[in-house]
Amino acid sequence: MCRNKKLMEAFSFFSLVTGLYVLHSSIALLLLNKEVPITRGMLYPRESETREVHSLDGIWNFVRSDPDNPTQGIRDKWFEKDLSKSQPTIPMPVPASYNDITTDNLRDHVGTVWYDRRFFVPRSWRTDQRVWLRFGSVHYEAYVWVNGKRVVKHEMGHLPFEAEVTDVLMYGSENRITVMCDNALIQTSVPQGKITEVPNDNGMTIVQSYTFDFFNYAGIHRSVHLYTTPKTLIEEVKVTTNLKNQNADGEVSYSVSVKGSVVNEADNDLHIQANLYDKEGLLVANATSDGKLEGELQVAEVKPWWPYLMHPDPGYLYQLEIKLLAANEELLDVYRLKVGLRTLSWDQTQFLINGKSVYFRGFGRHEDSDIRGKGLDNALMVRDFNLLKWIGANAYRTSHYPYSEESMQFADEHGIMIIDECPSVDTENFSQELLGKHKSSLEQLIHRDRNHPSVVMWSIANEPRTGSLTADSYFSLVANFTRSLDKTRPITAAIATPYTKDQAGRHLDIISFNRYNAWYTNTGRLDMVTQNVIDEAVAWNKAYQKPVIMSEYGADTLEGLHIQPAYVWSEEFQMEVFSRHFKAFDELRKKGWFIGEFVWNFADFKTAQSYTRVGGNKKGVFTRARQPKAVAHLLRKRYFALGRDLDQCNIPEDIFIYIAEWKS
């Protein structure tokens, strides 16, 4: 039982190791639409005339807590001095998952771990400005101290958080940052999990379990930055765009929020100078706002943002420059961001971008690779986008959590559409507390990604247990909350529950369903794929009268395993499974409301240890090392053929290998 009630109330991670869990029955619960905290600030850290950015990435010191004594670091106040003074430390890279770095059993550690490092702050930062500490992501729960003072707590992996640290830093001197990370998941975390205490050879041990099919990598997953701003700063920038006159002209609407006030009250009449530049750096529109700090920019002869292969110049981005000025025209702050001008619309049968119907051809993916786990890796990110374009994909879903901000920016630049998914995966045991955290994850996600032109849809869950009575009211509240935050994009969720039992689809704008014919259903039966896919998609559309996407299909494949005739796990079988789905998709496209096909998965990825998983999930068309399996070449032909037929794109010269010259 709980060792210290007061500590448990102060630190929520205690409940993860004490066995105090609340189970919810399948009967419908009365859920209340309570408000959730609204995040502020957290613009991506960029340098400008008024801002400096300093990276804290590198090698940190690392300590794992004893799973049987996870609160020792708090009780003994490890954050008040270097970790090395309290425990032996090991080097740990940041950003990275810590699980696969060492050669001992850190991989399956459950509970808290600690990081620290020292850093200098220049004397020049002591001047009239603010200093902020920002984390791109820590999974799952984080507590952060600077020079022994706690500055921020954050729950929710895969999303950024920050704190102002102006008053706790020592300028012109060395400082210390300490982070405690807790990877444990329970029934009210997002995603959910369970903690149990089970016997082992040495007594008892803590075991983490979860139903989702990817590994619960943990640690400081994304970059850590210190950055400066003026005392009076641009805190928020919200951008929406629209195209007019058959896409000949465009409009950029902007809204700015400011934090702080100017020193001279007589100059407190703040206003915004907004400048829009094209790719060549030419000024194409500008405007000066009034005191409301919002306005519109009219762009003539606009170059719209188009998805990859839908236009010869996809992913066209302008640069929006926001200058915050005092009444006397003193420059207070400057922030710049990329903007793509495009319009989204949808109805009961189609999804359109810039007035043109879209057919999605893409992937479910994971941020996952050897050694670094889910840690940010720019080389890997660039490789993945090269492969996405090589294979002819125009979209992917951020299954099953928000991806890095850097990858979102890369998608903007390359014209890759994103279905942006929150961390709610395999959601069950619906409760009021879970609802609040689920909504909070969406609020943080939309707050972070709302300005990205690549984001064309919000996914509010993956494979939730939508057959229960409570799922109806639960997803009604989640969907309506999402719409209250952003009405410019449709809402979907990847549903695995049969349409006859589903309670969530009525609350969505677009139906997405996952099904593994010939793999989890009718294993090995290639003659039971095509018609089953057609029948289920038709049934979803008939039930809800909405556009339909098949958001997951596939089969595990061990690269290099060849069996003829096709047999499960072989490369031949994976190709046959895909081909049978292609036939179904082509029949469904004729009906007008089937708008996309998403392979599961882009690349092989790690999962929890299981006798059904040989080193992880092998459904990728690429290996975990990002090399193609045989099916990647088949899929490449499919995606480019669709691009040629639907969007009149050019076919790469190397897509068909020369065989022989045919003579009539």
Side-chain angles (χ1 to χ4, degrees):
M1 297 302 291
C2 180
R3 299 178 176 90
N4 187 315
K5 187 174 181 180
K6 289 184 178 180
L7 278 177
M8 181 179 177
E9 292 172 349
F11 298 98
S12 62
F13 63 89
F14 279 6
S15 62
L16 307 178
V17 294
T18 60
L20 300 178
Y21 310 111
V22 179
L23 300 179
H24 301 281
S25 66
S26 60
I27 63 173
L29 299 174
L30 178 62
L31 297 172
L32 303 177
N33 192 24
K34 296 182 178 180
E35 293 185 0
V36 298
I38 302 299
T39 49
R40 302 284 301 173
M42 284 184 294
L43 292 171
Y44 187 78
R46 291 187 173 95
E47 292 189 324
S48 72
E49 299 90 319
T50 58
R51 296 170 175 237
E52 292 183 64
V53 179
H54 175 62
S55 172
L56 292 181
D57 292 354
I59 304 300
W60 292 43
N61 306 304
F62 181 89
V63 172
R64 94 178 93 185
S65 299
D66 182 349
D68 294 325
N69 192 10
T71 62
Q72 179 187 359
I74 299 297
R75 294 196 313 273
D76 293 350
K77 299 182 179 180
W78 290 355
F79 49 83
E80 289 189 344
K81 52 190 175 183
D82 291 349
L83 285 175
S84 60
K85 300 291 197 301
S86 302
Q87 294 284 322
T89 63
I90 60 173
M92 186 61 64
V94 171
S97 302
Y98 60 73
N99 307 80
D100 290 344
I101 301 296
T102 66
T103 54
D104 58 8
N105 198 27
L106 182 58
R107 186 169 197 274
D108 293 316
H109 172 77
V110 180
T112 58
V113 299
W114 291 73
Y115 294 78
D116 83 350
R117 66 158 291 172
R118 286 182 167 271
F119 62 95
F120 274 91
V121 177
R123 286 180 295 178
S124 60
W125 283 18
R126 196 198 312 256
T127 57
D128 191 27
Q129 59 185 350
R130 299 172 185 256
V131 184
W132 305 81
L133 174 64
R134 188 184 194 275
F135 289 79
S137 167
V138 179
H139 186 77
Y140 168 75
E141 189 171 26
Y143 295 78
V144 181
W145 294 262
V146 174
N147 296 328
K149 297 180 180 179
R150 200 177 95 175
V151 295
V152 66
K153 168 189 176 295
H154 182 259
E155 176 183 357
M156 202 71 66
H158 316 293
L159 288 161
F161 60 96
E162 69 180 11
E164 184 176 358
V165 293
T166 309
D167 295 334
V168 298
L169 292 175
M170 296 182 290
Y171 298 91
S173 182
E174 197 173 40
N175 295 259
R176 182 183 64 256
I177 182 173
T178 309
V179 179
M180 187 186 71
C181 168
D182 189 348
N183 71 343
L185 304 175
I186 59 173
Q187 288 294 281
T188 55
S189 58
V190 182
Q192 293 170 298
K194 293 181 180 178
I195 302 291
T196 52
E197 193 173 25
V198 298
N200 66 3
D201 291 344
N202 301 312
M204 303 294 289
T205 190
I206 300 297
V207 174
Q208 170 80 76
S209 61
Y210 41 84
T211 61
F212 55 82
D213 191 32
F214 58 94
F215 189 72
N216 186 39
Y217 278 113
I220 303 177
H221 277 161
R222 297 173 190 153
S223 291
V224 185
H225 290 103
L226 276 176
Y227 72 94
T228 68
T229 66
K231 289 290 186 180
T232 303
L233 65 137
I234 299 167
E235 184 181 35
E236 302 269 4
V237 179
K238 183 178 180 181
V239 175
T240 56
T241 67
N242 188 35
L243 299 179
K244 303 179 294 183
N245 307 325
Q246 288 76 46
N247 298 339
D249 297 318
E251 183 177 86
V252 177
S253 299
Y254 62 91
S255 175
V256 177
S257 297
V258 170
K259 186 179 183 67
S261 60
V262 294
V263 176
N264 186 348
E265 292 298 328
D267 289 337
N268 206 26
D269 184 15
L270 304 177
H271 57 284
I272 294 294
Q273 173 68 45
N275 301 313
L276 191 70
Y277 298 90
D278 65 13
K279 272 189 177 181
E280 285 69 44
L282 299 176
L283 180 67
V284 296
N286 66 311
T288 301
S289 75
D290 56 17
K292 292 183 178 180
L293 305 181
E294 59 187 34
E296 295 178 352
L297 296 167
Q298 304 299 322
V299 186
E301 300 179 359
V302 69
K303 296 181 179 178
W305 188 94
W306 285 101
Y308 178 54
L309 299 182
M310 288 186 69
H311 189 273
D313 190 11
Y316 191 93
L317 296 174
Y318 293 83
Q319 180 171 259
L320 177 61
E321 177 183 72
I322 301 291
K323 291 185 174 182
L324 178 63
L325 303 168
N328 63 356
E329 301 302 314
E330 177 190 358
L331 179 64
L332 300 176
D333 195 12
V334 182
Y335 189 81
R336 297 178 178 88
L337 69 157
K338 297 294 182 65
V339 173
L341 276 73
R342 54 107 177 103
T343 300
L344 304 181
S345 58
W346 61 96
D347 55 29
Q348 290 184 314
T349 61
Q350 60 183 338
F351 175 90
L352 304 98
I353 187 164
N354 305 335
K356 184 176 181 180
S357 182
V358 171
Y359 186 75
F360 293 93
R361 41 197 185 269
F363 294 93
R365 293 181 61 215
H366 270 296
E367 287 189 321
D368 170 278
S369 63
D370 194 27
I371 300 176
R372 64 196 54 76
K374 294 192 181 304
L376 175 65
D377 184 325
N378 287 324
L380 183 75
M381 180 184 70
V382 173
R383 170 68 174 178
D384 283 357
F385 273 87
N386 272 271
L387 292 175
L388 284 166
K389 296 177 75 173
W390 173 84
I391 210 167
N394 65 7
Y396 64 83
R397 176 166 59 110
T398 65
S399 43
H400 302 297
Y401 40 81
Y403 290 2
S404 73
E405 293 162 281
E406 291 79 5
S407 69
M408 309 301 287
Q409 295 161 14
F410 225 62
D412 292 341
E413 294 170 4
H414 290 270
I416 302 297
M417 294 178 289
I418 294 177
I419 299 177
D420 211 355
E421 192 162 273
C422 77
S424 178
V425 53
D426 289 10
T427 316
E428 60 183 358
N429 294 334
F430 306 107
S431 67
Q432 190 69 52
E433 185 176 358
L434 179 67
L435 174 63
K437 292 182 181 180
H438 192 161
K439 289 166 65 177
S440 179
S441 75
L442 279 159
E443 188 281 328
Q444 293 179 59
L445 172 64
I446 293 171
H447 176 251
R448 191 194 76 165
D449 290 348
R450 63 193 176 190
N451 292 336
H452 288 286
S454 58
V455 176
V456 299
M457 206 177 304
W458 304 116
S459 175
I460 60 176
N462 175 75
E463 297 192 357
R465 311 312 191 217
T466 59
S468 72
L469 294 176
T470 309
D472 188 0
S473 60
Y474 184 92
F475 282 100
S476 173
L477 294 170
V478 172
N480 288 335
F481 175 74
T482 304
R483 289 188 184 94
S484 74
L485 298 172
D486 180 22
K487 295 180 174 62
T488 69
R489 297 172 174 92
I491 296 170
T492 192
I495 300 175
T497 301
Y499 72 94
T500 54
K501 298 179 180 179
D502 172 66
Q503 302 292 321
R506 64 176 62 92
H507 306 298
L508 307 175
D509 299 310
I510 292 174
I511 301 297
S512 301
F513 75 98
N514 300 347
R515 195 69 65 221
Y516 291 88
N517 291 283
W519 190 253
Y520 297 127
T521 303
N522 303 317
T523 306
R525 295 301 303 262
L526 293 168
D527 59 339
M528 297 182 181
V529 175
T530 304
Q531 195 58 47
N532 282 344
V533 172
I534 294 172
D535 290 346
E536 183 170 9
V538 168
W540 280 109
N541 176 259
K542 184 177 179 180
Y544 294 119
Q545 298 296 304
K546 297 173 182 178
V548 176
I549 293 171
M550 191 167 195
S551 43
E552 289 186 23
Y553 72 95
D556 280 272
T557 304
L558 187 63
E559 68 272 17
L561 177 63
H562 294 280
I563 302 176
Q564 186 65 33
Y567 192 84
V568 291
W569 287 92
S570 70
E571 297 208 41
E572 287 77 11
F573 185 80
Q574 188 180 33
M575 293 177 70
E576 286 275 8
V577 167
F578 276 45
S579 181
R580 303 298 175 105
H581 280 82
F582 296 164
K583 290 181 181 179
F585 298 153
D586 285 347
E587 286 300 312
L588 289 167
R589 285 195 299 117
K590 297 174 184 177
K591 300 181 183 297
W593 45 257
F594 187 78
I595 64 169
E597 53 192 76
F598 284 77
V599 171
W600 189 261
N601 189 282
F602 175 75
D604 295 345
F605 57 91
K606 268 297 189 265
T607 63
Q609 296 188 56
S610 167
Y611 54 81
T612 64
R613 293 282 179 253
V614 184
N617 190 303
K618 301 293 186 180
K619 292 188 180 68
V621 304
F622 298 102
T623 67
R624 202 177 187 214
R626 273 49 178 191
Q627 296 302 328
K629 300 178 187 177
V631 76
H633 299 278
L634 177 68
L635 188 65
R636 185 175 186 233
K637 293 180 175 67
R638 164 76 177 177
Y639 280 176
F640 273 105
L642 288 171
R644 177 197 60 196
D645 294 345
L646 299 175
D647 303 318
Q648 294 74 54
C649 76
N650 294 323
I651 298 293
E653 293 182 359
D654 66 338
I655 202 164
F656 295 107
I657 297 175
Y658 179 84
I659 299 174
E661 181 179 355
W662 297 94
K663 296 181 178 180
S664 58

